[in-house]
Amino acid sequence: MGKSVLLIEDEPNIIEAISFILSRDGWSVATHSNGHDAVGVVVKNQPDIVILDVMLPGKTGYDILREVRDTAGISEIPVLMLTAKGQVKDREMAERAGASRFMTKPFSNAEVLEAVRDLVAK
């Protein structure tokens, strides 16, 4: 059985690109586009990995990540954070919140695929 990814992102072009490259590599990709109920979606889907945008409507990716890390049953799921903000303070905030890896936009398809494979293999 293939591995599953939950992509929490609100930009249609990024959703389409990441879904395409991961699906082509054999991943089952579910998507969600707002922060309000994102943690509930993680609990429901129980993915092998979450790809999480920092800037989402309703709640930031940092807040979602903190909730995921504090929720039994999903706290150990690897989380790849994506952001258009690539400053050191943004990376530090992601690390403090519990991000498994941090990637700035724009990114290459190969980078995302490699990061997802690496995080799930750990």
Side-chain angles (χ1 to χ4, degrees):
M1 186 175 152
K3 299 281 188 177
S4 63
V5 176
L6 174 59
L7 172 60
I8 304 173
E9 168 66 63
D10 63 330
E11 293 182 41
N13 292 343
I14 293 176
I15 293 169
E16 186 177 341
I18 292 176
S19 295
F20 176 76
I21 59 162
L22 293 176
S23 295
R24 193 176 67 193
D25 194 54
W27 295 81
S28 170
V29 182
T31 62
H32 191 69
S33 59
N34 76 68
H36 293 292
D37 55 354
V39 175
V41 174
V42 176
V43 170
K44 180 182 170 210
N45 287 22
Q46 294 287 313
D48 293 301
I49 186 169
V50 172
I51 301 175
L52 178 61
D53 187 20
V54 169
M55 294 182 287
L56 291 162
K59 193 179 285 185
T60 72
Y62 300 123
D63 291 335
I64 294 164
L65 180 55
R66 284 186 201 96
E67 287 183 46
V68 166
R69 292 298 181 232
D70 290 340
T71 302
I74 61 170
S75 63
E76 298 300 316
I77 295 173
V79 177
L80 170 61
M81 297 284 296
L82 299 179
T83 184
K85 300 177 176 182
Q87 297 178 355
V88 172
K89 69 179 179 69
D90 299 305
R91 185 175 299 271
E92 289 171 351
M93 284 177 62
E95 288 173 4
R96 279 196 305 276
S100 306
R101 190 166 298 174
F102 182 87
M103 192 172 289
T104 55
K105 299 175 188 175
F107 46 77
S108 74
N109 291 349
E111 283 178 305
V112 173
L113 187 56
E114 180 183 336
V116 168
R117 286 175 175 166
D118 182 52
L119 288 171
V120 173
K122 287 184 178 180

